[in-house]
Amino acid sequence: MSTDTTDADNDLRERITNFLRRNFPQIQMHGGSAAISHLDRESGEVTIQLGGACSGCGISPMTIQAIKSRMVKEIPEIETVHADTGAGAGADGDLGGTSSGGMSPSFPGETTDDGGDDEGPQAPF
């Protein structure tokens, strides 16, 4: 790898990092983190790993979708964005819920007994 290629990769990494900081400050403000886990400048692919509080956060799939759609618009060298929280189902922005595994949300007062009488969760007060 030439020095020019290394400099170009470092410049692209810095622009991606700045893009994430500028456009998604809530990731860090809420105790999460975002890091580039893979970058292929030739194919225009980048993989972003969200960690910390992002793992298990109900909003992370929407954050991932926003990162994917906005990064390709703002950084011309990037054509494909892969993002993951490492939390399993839906972590790659799959809002359709077609992935298997993962946890279902639970609410205070809700029981796991499925007696067929679905009145919804009970209020905690």
Side-chain angles (χ1 to χ4, degrees):
M1 185 180 282
S2 73
T3 305
D4 290 340
T5 303
T6 303
D7 289 345
D9 284 352
N10 289 339
D11 175 62
L12 183 55
R13 280 183 180 274
E14 186 174 328
R15 287 190 294 138
I16 292 168
T17 300
N18 288 337
F19 164 84
L20 291 168
R21 284 186 189 139
R22 184 179 66 250
N23 290 290
F24 300 96
Q26 68 273 22
I27 292 173
Q28 192 169 20
M29 288 174 15
H30 294 159
S33 63
I36 301 166
S37 61
H38 176 74
L39 175 62
D40 186 340
R41 193 172 203 284
E42 288 183 28
S43 69
E45 277 187 67
V46 63
T47 302
I48 305 295
Q49 184 69 38
L50 299 179
C54 292
S55 295
C57 175
I59 303 297
S60 63
M62 289 180 275
T63 303
I64 288 170
Q65 284 302 111
I67 290 170
K68 287 180 173 185
S69 66
R70 290 168 59 183
M71 188 180 294
V72 296
K73 292 176 184 171
E74 287 193 35
I75 303 175
E77 295 91 338
I78 300 300
E79 295 180 23
T80 307
V81 179
H82 303 283
D84 190 11
T85 62
D92 196 26
D94 178 15
L95 298 178
T98 57
S99 299
S100 61
M103 294 179 59
S104 297
S106 61
F107 302 94
E110 183 178 53
T111 62
T112 57
D113 179 30
D114 190 13
D117 185 22
D118 188 13
E119 294 180 23
Q122 297 297 314
F125 46 87

